[in-house]
Amino acid sequence: MLVRVRSTPAIEVWRTLSPFSRSDRTVVLAFEAHDGQKRCSGEPFIIHPVEVARILGELIKEDTTLITSLVDLLLVAISEIIESVTYIEGEQENFIEIGCYFYRVSIAIMELQSTENSPPNAMEIVRSLSQSVDLAKDLVQGLQKGNKPVSGPELESIISQLEEVIRSMGQHLSSIPSSAFKEEIYAEVAIQSLSNEMKNSHFEVKATQLGNSDAQMLSPDRQPIEVTTTLEEKDLYSINVEVSTDNPYFLDPKNSLPKSKSDSSQVKLGNMNRSLAILPQVTHYMEPLYGTVEPLYGTFCCPLTKKIMDDPVTIESGLTYERKAIGEWFEMFKDSEEIFCPSSGKKLVSRVYNSNIALKSTIEEWKKRNEVATIKVARAALSLASSDNMVFEAIKEVHGICERNPYNKVEVCSVGMLPLLVKTLEYKNQDVRCAVLELLTKLAEDDNESKEMIAEKLDFSVLIRMLSSNYQPVRHASLLLLLELSRSHSLCDKIGLVPGAILMLITIKYKPSVDAFAAGKAGETLTNLETSPNNIKCMAENGLLEPLLYNIEQGCEEMKTEMASYLGDIVLGHDSRTYVAERASPSLIKMVRTGNALSRRAAFKALAQISLYQPNAEVLTEAGIIQIMVEEMFSRSIYDELVNSKIEAAAILANILESGLELENLQASSNGHTMTSDYCVHGIIYMLKNSAPDELNINLLRILLCLTKTPKSMATIISVVKESEASYILIELINNPREELGIAAIKLLIMLSPQIGHTLAEKLCKIRGQPESLIQSPREVKRISEKQAISAKFIAKLPQQHLTLNLALLSKNTVPTILQTINQIQKIGTRSSRHTSSYLEGLVGILVRFTTTLFDPQILFLARSHNFTAVFTELLVKTSSDEVQRLSAIGLENLSSESINLSKPPEVKKTKLLRMFSAPKFLSPGSSRRKKTAVCPVHGGACSSENTFCLVDAKAVERLLACLDHENPEVVEAVLSAICTLLDDKVDVEKSVSILNGVDALQHVLNVVKEHTQEGLRQKSFWMIEKFLMKGGDKSISDISKDRLLPSTLVSAFHHGNGNTRQMAEKILRHLNKMPTSTTSYYTM
């Protein structure tokens, strides 16, 4: 942003600012307002507000850092409270609920800190919550003082105080404004819901006293009961959320905040060592699960590890241990002279141990029996599914069994467990979903048969929806399952057919900053899906083009053909079209030259799609496509192909040429011919004359239209068309049933009309049904077609003084149709159709044609009967089209030029006998009252707008003068030409000047001189000014002399204008006594 500051010191201060600060409007306003002002010290005043702003910015940064520190301390304090209430057994239900509230508040605090739009009262909220948490921490710690637990009224008082703390925290949460969450409505709803719940919280103390054994507090090393959680998407902070010390804040207070919202609420269900016991009866659910399982024998466990042995070995004392454990024991005492059995204490002579093969086999058989039984019991548990916890424990147990022994995966599938697992995906409990997904992934690993079985039962649309879950473990687990299934080639098509599957995977892949793990797995899945051609096409349609381009470049011939065909079908985005052209064009062009029929058809299809985007023209040209396409058009002679290569080549070539490349530099053949050479022009016109298919003719005409833009090729086209029958062919194509072909032919004829217009007009009149078919009245003015618009324009562009064409139009009674259509368009406006304005311009241009041949009696009668003067005068002011105004002014100029020839003085015819016997005028009674015939002061005869086209009588002068203020110089020049007809030497110039002075015409002309510098405009303006100086008397001279800018304009024109302009400027300067007089002859227009 620019700043208008003159003071050098202030400019130096401005340069110290960052580009961001310089773009701030308030900063710019401050610098401009205080520019030049100084402090008492002599420094620029602006230094003070700038330094204040900088200090304030630092304070804001410090405030943000302070909030972060407070939040860290607050979360650490909450984790300590939760850990403390975990070990309180008295009033367990109340303390469990209190711990849940604090856990949910911690998640809300993390959400508040991670939001991008921090509320202005964030510091106040954090401080208030911090005070409440500190109070709660003191109350909870008071329960743990001394050896005896707190009970009775004191316990009731502490719970009551905690209740007030929780209500106060709910009030603090309600002060978070809605603006803090922007579009994250779920977070706002969850926090408000939590706030309302906490404000209404209430805890009732049980009336019965706890026994001594029940009232004892757990020792610090005693673990609380492990439970699972219930996380539902509908409530981000559910009361059933598990308070787990697996949360980074609860393990290490020094840990930083989670990087994402999903991490902040993530709860792992494995390895729960100190979970809050919200469901004491969870273990009861597992009793039926293990009721039919063979019990564990003590001999199976290693005395050292207390775990079931995998490789039992027997030492000298006869006791059996785990091989690794006893080896480590011996290693501990390797330097000792004596060693003892770790269990019996018996002194050992030898350190040798032997494998207990019998026990090992027994343990393995026991494990196998137990695992099979556990799988069956787990299946029954899934069938009964009385609670989420029961289902979760059953799934995790089966998962562990499958990890220990891969063979158990077959057992799981064979007992009919897959349908139950798939159905469990419908659970709202996110952790159950996650466990099911992990188990299905495990079952699908390294087993295509299992993959097929899972795919048969699984609804893939459900799996795809889980990819967008807001719970990260579910999102990751669903990706891992999809990745595993995609490793089966037979399932790739099935996955790709799921609506939105590939789009979802591509979206995840290109967002590594959001979830790097998910982005990597999505990329691997997409790579697996590339084995299916249909998936590659779907990827390309959704923005992932690399697989398709790779196969076009490196694939086998069959794959190249299929991918090229796909490329021709899909619609590419603007940001990828050029990249695709650069990658695919060389391979596609090679396929056109050397491929079989199928490959060539696919390559042509793809190249046609690529060439439609004009910026790709240069890329295609550099790849050598021009020469190949010209060769296909002129030299290819294979007739048994599946595609007409001439049509395709012409279409691609037309697309490229329409991009505006330098045609003279485009090599069209190996012999050095360019696109503008006679070789190409003759070849194209020859093909056009040989009754080629309509599709080919359209593209040939498009190419010729492009070639008309260069003088060399334009001259060749004109020569060939004029000397051959090509002009007849072009005119006959106008009425082709295929509208697109007719439009292309008319466009080419319009380009050729300035050079061979008379030839085209003659031939047009000789063809049956022409030219009237080009000016048919439209059925609906609101639906003007492109062909109707350019047809009217074509007739208007043909030489206007071609009498034969004008009489042909007259004889076909086209003028009433034209006038009727113009009136209809003026009523509804030109915006009713995109072609209406162009159509109106063409119709007005046709009317102007007739004004150039008024010497013909039929046309003169036509102009009088339809009052052309009034028509053009009305069009001057009742249209928004510059071209219509310009054409109307030209029409009025042509009509006014004929006024002097049509205006005759009134004649009184008397016979000789009547003159002899008539009384003298002074004796004739009533001679003074005899009616006189009105005479036009300009043309000197009887005039009217209808019969003699007099501009004065038509009141057209005022409307013409109003158009001199137009911004378009072409309109202004046409209007000046029309007004100049009233100052021609054939009319009474003095009276014309007098009439023009009456409507202030001189001032309008002077304004034109000031605003426009075009030579044609200045010549007409100077010519009119000179007429006013010569015939306008002292008033005109005075008005012109008072214009201060005119002399400088005249001097500039005298020095820099062309010959005519310089001569006119010189004459006016002499009239104004700015130059010495000369005997130079008077210049006339």
Side-chain angles (χ1 to χ4, degrees), residues 758-1025:
H758 288 283
T759 302
L760 296 177
E762 289 291 341
K763 294 183 177 180
L764 181 67
C765 294
K766 293 179 181 179
I767 293 179
R768 185 178 181 181
Q770 299 293 3
E772 65 273 11
S773 65
L774 296 174
I775 318 176
Q776 294 178 352
S777 178
R779 295 180 180 178
E780 293 186 39
V781 180
K782 294 182 179 180
R783 296 183 180 180
I784 303 297
S785 66
E786 183 182 6
K787 185 175 182 180
Q788 289 171 324
I790 65 169
S791 297
K793 186 177 180 181
F794 172 51
I795 297 296
K797 291 290 183 180
L798 289 173
Q800 293 184 341
Q801 294 183 345
H802 196 282
L803 184 60
T804 304
L805 178 58
N806 291 351
L807 289 174
L809 292 170
L810 175 65
S811 64
K812 302 301 181 180
N813 200 28
T814 58
V815 174
T817 301
I818 293 173
L819 292 174
Q820 181 183 2
T821 305
I822 290 174
N823 289 333
Q824 292 176 351
I825 292 175
Q826 285 182 317
K827 289 179 181 178
I828 66 172
T830 57
R831 295 185 179 181
S832 58
S833 170
R834 58 180 297 191
H835 303 295
T836 303
S837 182
S838 177
Y839 184 51
L840 178 62
E841 293 168 4
L843 296 179
V844 175
I846 295 172
L847 292 180
V848 173
R849 295 184 57 84
F850 294 106
T851 65
T852 62
T853 53
L854 292 172
F855 55 84
D856 184 87
Q858 297 181 63
I859 296 177
L860 178 61
F861 177 78
L862 174 72
R864 285 173 168 172
S865 60
H866 292 288
N867 198 355
F868 273 18
T869 310
V871 171
F872 288 128
T873 302
E874 185 178 4
L875 286 171
L876 267 178
V877 295
K878 289 189 176 181
T879 182
S880 59
S881 169
D882 293 357
E883 181 64 14
V884 171
Q885 287 182 310
R886 187 186 73 85
L887 291 171
S888 299
I890 293 173
L892 289 174
E893 177 192 2
N894 296 336
L895 293 171
S896 182
S897 299
E898 289 295 320
S899 295
I900 191 65
N901 300 323
L902 299 175
S903 178
K904 302 296 182 182
E907 297 181 0
V908 180
K909 294 184 180 181
K910 293 184 179 181
T911 63
K912 187 175 181 181
L913 182 63
L914 288 174
R915 286 197 300 270
M916 289 175 61
F917 292 101
S918 61
K921 291 182 180 180
F922 64 89
L923 296 177
S924 178
S927 60
S928 61
R929 297 189 301 272
R930 182 178 298 170
K931 186 176 180 181
K932 298 182 180 180
T933 304
V935 176
C936 177
V938 176
H939 302 106
C943 276
S944 68
S945 62
E946 184 175 357
N947 292 323
T948 64
F949 317 125
C950 179
L951 299 183
V952 177
D953 185 69
K955 307 298 181 183
V957 177
E958 293 85 347
R959 299 186 180 185
L960 287 168
L961 291 174
C963 293
L964 290 179
D965 295 331
H966 207 287
E967 295 179 355
N968 191 328
E970 294 181 358
V971 175
V972 176
E973 186 173 0
V975 170
L976 283 176
S977 298
I979 298 174
C980 284
T981 59
L982 299 177
L983 298 174
D984 191 82
D985 291 339
K986 297 179 181 180
V987 303
D988 192 331
V989 178
E990 290 185 4
K991 291 183 179 179
S992 290
V993 169
S994 177
I995 293 173
L996 292 173
N997 274 331
V999 291
D1000 202 17
L1002 180 58
Q1003 188 59 48
H1004 284 86
V1005 176
L1006 292 174
N1007 289 338
V1008 170
V1009 175
K1010 298 174 190 176
E1011 296 174 4
H1012 299 280
T1013 59
Q1014 290 81 2
E1015 290 292 333
L1017 274 175
R1018 284 198 165 178
Q1019 287 179 15
K1020 288 182 172 61
S1021 301
F1022 290 167
W1023 186 84
M1024 291 182 67
I1025 291 172

Side-chain angles (χ1 to χ4, degrees), residues 395 425 429-439 471 473-474 477:
I395 294 171
L425 289 175
N429 187 305
Q430 297 285 55
D431 296 313
V432 172
R433 288 185 181 182
C434 187
V436 173
L437 292 169
E438 290 173 353
L439 177 55
Y471 188 52
V474 169

Side-chain angles (χ1 to χ4, degrees), residues 627 663-680 712:
Q627 187 172 336
L663 301 182
E664 296 87 348
N665 301 326
L666 298 181
Q667 293 294 324
S669 71
S670 56
N671 297 326
H673 297 299
T674 65
M675 282 304 304
T676 59
S677 63
D678 293 352
Y679 166 76
C680 290
K712 179 181 178 182

Side-chain angles (χ1 to χ4, degrees), residues 101 104 107 186-195 197 230-241 265 428 430 470-471:
Y101 277 130
R104 295 165 68 190
I107 299 177
Y186 73 94
E188 178 186 357
V189 172
I191 290 179
Q192 290 300 325
S193 175
L194 175 60
S195 171
E197 186 177 345
T230 304
L231 296 178
E232 297 184 4
E233 289 186 16
K234 65 181 182 180
D235 188 355
L236 186 62
Y237 312 119
S238 171
I239 187 65
N240 293 327
V241 173
S265 60
K428 293 183 178 181
Q430 297 285 55
N470 59 358
Y471 188 52

Side-chain angles (χ1 to χ4, degrees), residues 89-249:
E89 192 172 41
E91 291 297 326
Q92 188 179 34
E93 292 183 359
N94 285 333
F95 284 109
I96 287 172
E97 189 172 357
I98 291 170
C100 287
Y101 277 130
F102 277 95
Y103 180 81
R104 295 165 68 190
V105 169
S106 70
I107 299 177
I109 293 171
M110 291 186 229
E111 290 285 351
L112 177 62
Q113 188 189 34
S114 61
T115 183
E116 297 178 357
N117 190 22
S118 180
N121 61 340
M123 176 62 75
E124 181 182 350
I125 295 171
V126 173
R127 284 177 174 170
S128 301
L129 290 173
S130 181
Q131 293 174 0
S132 299
V133 170
D134 289 342
L135 178 57
K137 183 177 177 182
D138 294 337
L139 292 171
V140 173
Q141 288 177 351
L143 292 170
Q144 297 178 326
K145 292 181 180 179
N147 297 325
K148 294 183 179 181
V150 177
S151 61
E154 186 179 357
L155 178 61
E156 184 176 353
S157 174
I158 292 176
I159 292 176
S160 178
Q161 293 179 63
L162 287 173
E163 177 180 316
E164 291 300 321
V165 169
I166 289 174
R167 290 182 178 181
S168 175
M169 293 172 68
Q171 189 65 37
H172 300 327
L173 290 177
S174 66
S175 62
I176 301 176
S178 301
S179 59
F181 304 98
K182 289 187 176 179
E183 298 177 356
E184 298 177 354
I185 301 175
Y186 73 94
E188 178 186 357
V189 172
I191 290 179
Q192 290 300 325
S193 175
L194 175 60
S195 171
N196 294 333
E197 186 177 345
M198 293 179 72
K199 286 189 291 186
N200 298 320
S201 62
H202 177 66
F203 306 99
E204 292 184 1
V205 180
K206 295 180 180 179
T208 58
Q209 296 294 327
L210 298 174
N212 291 334
S213 60
D214 296 330
Q216 292 178 352
M217 297 175 63
L218 294 175
S219 60
D221 58 340
R222 182 176 175 182
Q223 300 297 327
I225 301 173
E226 295 184 3
V227 296
T228 55
T229 65
T230 304
L231 296 178
E232 297 184 4
E233 289 186 16
K234 65 181 182 180
D235 188 355
L236 186 62
Y237 312 119
S238 171
I239 187 65
N240 293 327
V241 173
E242 177 189 349
V243 183
S244 172
T245 52
D246 286 339
N247 189 302
Y249 259 97

